[in-house]
Amino acid sequence: MRVAIAGSTGSIGKQTLDVVRAAGDAGDYQVVALSANSSVAEVVAQAQSFKPEVVVVSDPIARAKVAEQLKLTNPKIEVIDDASQLAVLADVVVNGVVGFAGLGVTMSTLKNGKRLALANKESLIAAGPVVAPLRKIAGAEIIPVDSEHCAIHQCLRSSQNSARDLSRLLLTASGGPFRGRSAVSLADVSVQDALQHPTWSMGPKITIDSSTLMNKGLEVIEAHELFGVSYDAISVVVHPQSIVHSMVEFRDGATIAQLSMPDMKLPIAYALEYPNRSASSFGAIDWAELSRLDFEKPDRDTFRCLDLAYQAGRIGGTAPAWLSAANEVAVETFLAGSVKWNQIASIIESTMQHHDGQIPTTVEDILEADRLARTWAAKISSNIKETQV
Ligand code: MG
């Protein structure tokens, strides 16, 4: 199987290479393309070890450096700037790019009629109406790498006719580092506090999203787009151990869940091997060690981002693109130390008040929505910052 990895130096990219490594010769994986933004040393090391046909580097200065170094050690590897080549070369493209920047890879993979192992939820959330028709292209399919959606994908297979039998989807949420805390007690939390995820080790953007429950909000929209289920039939359950990765309830009252220890290599291997099961085991449970599984309702007053996401999802059109863009700006501003944690939700809420109700039909419409939302969110963030100084 010819595998391309977009965002190979990020958390998902590195774990995909771990999956390939774990499979060894028996896995029949061939890494044909890697793409990175600007991490020169890391992508060069990956290329030297996996010997892909091409390496895509988006930053021009970084690209020149990568080309120079690989010329000495691996002159056959082409270093290029065009990420759409990933889908041309591979059977399956793992999209592990962070944020809206992953849209191009999502689009080109489906347009080329290839399997998209999707870890980049933002592209589907922002561009749902534009991505949906591409999924009808012969050979094009999305297998979710997000652990919750991968779980739902697995659970849905227990029904022969899930469109008829499905009652609701139950997305589980760890609750993040601030579960159980009041809004008042969260007023002055630091970036470091927010980056301490209790169960998952992930990149900074998604870790902050987990602390605000925006990650779960985005995943609600992602589930709506992936599985075509209405927002009324998608529930969120807080489950602090992150072992039940999500559940599906059927009309006869049965709930099917997928359980494993938190390990993204399981969803990655699932997406590569579907409809088969991977020969490598990741996250198998030691039942002698597992003492309990807890479930509770999310605190929607403290973690306002969850309902902001439901609202944007229900509005549809470009509203999810606005929400996701505003969130990216708010998170960047928070990580830079310019606004407080509880202002992330405020920035998004204020940005959404300017949403213009556009219905997107082209990628240009999505790009414009993203640009507009970022402009508003940046303006609102800097106003907040000024009033604090
Ligand atoms: Mg997830």
Side-chain angles (χ1 to χ4, degrees):
M1 183 192 303
R2 294 166 63 85
V3 180
I5 306 168
S8 68
T9 58
S11 172
I12 292 291
K14 286 193 251 186
Q15 292 183 80
T16 304
L17 291 172
D18 289 342
V19 168
V20 171
R21 229 178 255 121
D25 294 336
D28 190 33
Y29 297 128
Q30 191 191 348
V31 177
V32 292
L34 299 171
S35 90
N37 180 33
S38 59
S39 306
V40 174
E42 192 142 33
V43 80
V44 165
Q46 290 177 342
Q48 287 168 338
S49 156
F50 288 90
K51 302 184 176 54
E53 292 166 22
V54 304
V55 174
V56 181
V57 183
S58 34
D59 178 77
I61 296 165
R63 192 186 318 129
K65 287 184 188 160
V66 171
E68 196 182 319
Q69 292 182 32
L70 286 179
K71 210 165 131 187
L72 298 173
T73 58
N74 302 74
K76 280 187 187 158
I77 301 175
E78 268 189 273
V79 182
I80 60 172
D81 68 343
D82 179 10
S84 68
Q85 283 304 304
L86 298 182
V88 175
L89 291 168
D91 302 316
V92 50
V93 178
V94 178
N95 188 351
V97 175
V98 176
F100 183 74
L103 179 61
V105 170
T106 290
M107 300 280 297
S108 62
T109 303
L110 297 175
K111 277 184 184 164
N112 277 281
K114 300 290 175 68
R115 173 176 295 185
L116 174 65
L118 183 67
N120 174 272
K121 64 190 78 169
E122 290 89 346
S123 58
L124 190 62
I125 289 157
V130 175
V131 169
L134 302 179
R135 294 170 71 186
K136 298 197 180 82
I137 293 171
E141 63 177 343
I142 303 178
I143 310 294
V145 168
D146 212 347
S147 61
E148 294 79 359
H149 306 76
C150 177
I152 290 169
H153 195 271
Q154 295 176 63
C155 296
L156 286 171
R157 294 168 77 184
S158 68
S159 160
Q160 297 288 335
N161 184 347
S162 59
R164 178 195 65 199
D165 294 344
L166 180 75
S167 172
R168 61 175 170 151
L169 306 179
L170 293 131
L171 286 170
T172 51
S174 71
F178 302 144
R179 182 179 63 89
R181 300 265 301 260
S182 68
V184 175
S185 84
L186 290 169
D188 286 311
V189 290
S190 69
V191 170
Q192 282 318 310
D193 295 334
L195 284 173
Q196 299 304 315
H197 197 278
T199 52
W200 290 99
S201 163
M202 306 176 288
K205 197 265 177 181
I206 187 170
T207 305
I208 301 301
D209 286 348
S210 294
S211 79
T212 61
L213 284 199
M214 179 54 96
N215 183 50
K216 210 50 50 181
L218 294 173
E219 288 180 352
V220 167
I221 302 174
E222 182 185 10
H224 168 82
E225 291 296 336
L226 279 171
F227 305 112
V229 175
S230 77
Y231 286 99
D232 292 339
I234 305 174
S235 305
V236 171
V237 185
V238 172
H239 165 50
Q241 291 90 358
S242 300
I243 286 171
V244 175
H245 294 295
S246 275
M247 303 177 269
V248 170
E249 184 186 302
F250 291 106
R251 62 177 184 170
D252 62 356
T255 296
I256 307 290
Q258 186 258 318
L259 287 73
S260 49
M261 301 307 287
D263 188 339
M264 286 309 296
K265 293 192 284 298
L266 189 158
I268 292 166
Y270 177 86
L272 294 177
E273 287 296 331
Y274 173 83
N276 299 320
R277 288 277 173 182
S278 169
S280 307
S281 168
F282 300 107
I285 297 167
D286 178 352
W287 292 91
E289 290 292 314
L290 183 68
S291 56
R292 56 188 291 172
L293 298 171
D294 296 295
F295 300 93
E296 61 193 47
K297 278 197 305 191
D299 175 355
R300 307 182 100 100
D301 298 324
T302 303
F303 301 95
R304 296 192 293 130
C305 288
L306 180 58
D307 282 334
L308 291 173
Y310 267 95
Q311 282 164 26
R314 287 193 162 102
I315 294 166
T318 51
W322 274 66
L323 175 92
S324 184
N327 180 56
E328 281 190 36
V329 172
V331 169
E332 280 161 22
T333 319
F334 170 69
L335 285 171
S338 306
V339 298
K340 293 181 176 180
W341 178 86
N342 57 11
Q343 288 166 333
I344 294 173
S346 310
I347 292 166
I348 298 162
E349 191 172 29
S350 302
T351 303
M352 293 311 289
Q353 284 164 8
H354 300 280
H355 175 240
D356 53 13
Q358 288 293 315
I359 305 296
T361 53
T362 64
V363 177
E364 286 68 36
D365 296 341
I366 302 291
L367 294 172
E368 176 61 9
D370 180 77
R371 192 191 62 77
L372 264 175
R374 277 173 203 270
T375 307
W376 277 112
K379 198 169 160 185
I380 291 159
S381 304
S382 69
N383 285 346
I384 290 177
K385 195 175 147 187
E386 274 168 32
T387 53
Q388 271 170 191
V389 170

